[in-house]
Amino acid sequence: MVKTLILIGAGEGLGNAVAKEFESLGIEVSTHTGDASQPETLTNAIKAITDKWGTPDALVYNIGVTTPEGDQVVDSDFLMKRYQIDAASAWHSANLVATKEFGEKKGAIIFTGGGFAKTFQPILQLKALCIDKAALNAMNIILHEQLKPLGIFVGSVIINGVITKGDEKNDPSIIAKQYWKMYNEQQEYQVLY
């Protein structure tokens, strides 16, 4: 049976590895362009996917701006722009797919979280990302409880380290297996990896 995955944030590292992991297990993967800083583009991309393939089986939100802030002034405008990308668009995307039909398929929404949101050890060069991943962690808990009665699983793979190709623990292809496991088992809704 073919399944459909909507993966938001399919970069060269973890996003590609998640797509390949799901694809190798028979889940349809297709590319549509969207911009997490512009939620309406995500609405359009998700609509295009559902119009073509119907209700998806899973949504993975794998976005986080990991560019160090350096001398950037971290003011409220900067924080709000980053929050839209790192967290608010995750909420937006989750609510777009959280339909009755998605619940009937036992659909799963999986976020990529950040370990500093769970271990309370922020990375000072990534202030906005640390704040946003803490918000995403809270969002995961809220949506998990809110959508569970509809048959929808919401979880987060919380990355506690730097994703590095070739690393025995933090290689993207190794981490990607956690997404498949979470989707398939739908048990633990927070996995600190």
Side-chain angles (χ1 to χ4, degrees), residues 3-10 18-19 22 27-30 32 42 45-51 53-62 93 96-97 102 108-110:
K3 294 180 181 274
T4 304
L5 163 68
I6 296 176
L7 172 61
I8 300 175
V18 170
F22 277 68
I27 294 181
E28 186 83 26
V29 178
S30 177
H32 292 268
L42 298 177
I46 290 171
K47 183 179 182 326
I49 292 166
T50 57
D51 285 352
W53 285 286
T55 301
D57 296 274
L59 167 77
V60 172
Y61 194 88
N62 175 54
S93 301
L96 288 173
V97 300
F102 191 68
I109 298 167
I110 304 173

Side-chain angles (χ1 to χ4, degrees), residues 2-147:
V2 175
K3 294 180 181 274
T4 304
L5 163 68
I6 296 176
L7 172 61
I8 300 175
E12 292 181 17
L14 183 57
N16 258 352
V18 170
K20 288 177 184 173
E21 174 75 17
F22 277 68
E23 199 168 42
S24 71
L25 295 160
I27 294 181
E28 186 83 26
V29 178
S30 177
T31 304
H32 292 268
T33 302
D35 180 349
S37 70
Q38 305 293 321
E40 65 277 3
T41 67
L42 298 177
T43 301
N44 294 338
I46 290 171
K47 183 179 182 326
I49 292 166
T50 57
D51 285 352
K52 185 169 183 179
W53 285 286
T55 301
D57 296 274
L59 167 77
V60 172
Y61 194 88
N62 175 54
I63 293 184
V65 180
T66 58
T67 306
E69 286 126 1
D71 294 334
Q72 168 71 46
V73 175
V74 180
D75 59 13
S76 60
D77 287 339
F78 180 80
L79 286 174
M80 291 307 292
K81 287 176 185 170
R82 288 287 181 90
Y83 180 77
Q84 182 65 59
I85 296 166
D86 295 337
S89 284
W91 179 271
H92 177 76
S93 301
N95 281 290
L96 288 173
V97 300
T99 63
K100 178 183 175 202
E101 295 79 16
F102 191 68
E104 288 169 353
K105 291 180 91 171
K106 300 293 182 202
I109 298 167
I110 304 173
F111 302 121
T112 299
F116 33 81
K118 198 77 171 135
T119 60
F120 305 107
Q121 296 176 353
I123 300 170
L124 295 180
Q125 302 90 332
L126 299 170
K127 296 171 195 74
L129 185 63
C130 291
I131 292 166
D132 296 345
K133 290 299 183 175
L136 189 65
N137 187 53
M139 185 185 308
N140 174 56
I141 295 166
I142 290 166
L143 287 174
H144 178 77
E145 294 302 323
Q146 180 179 315
L147 298 177

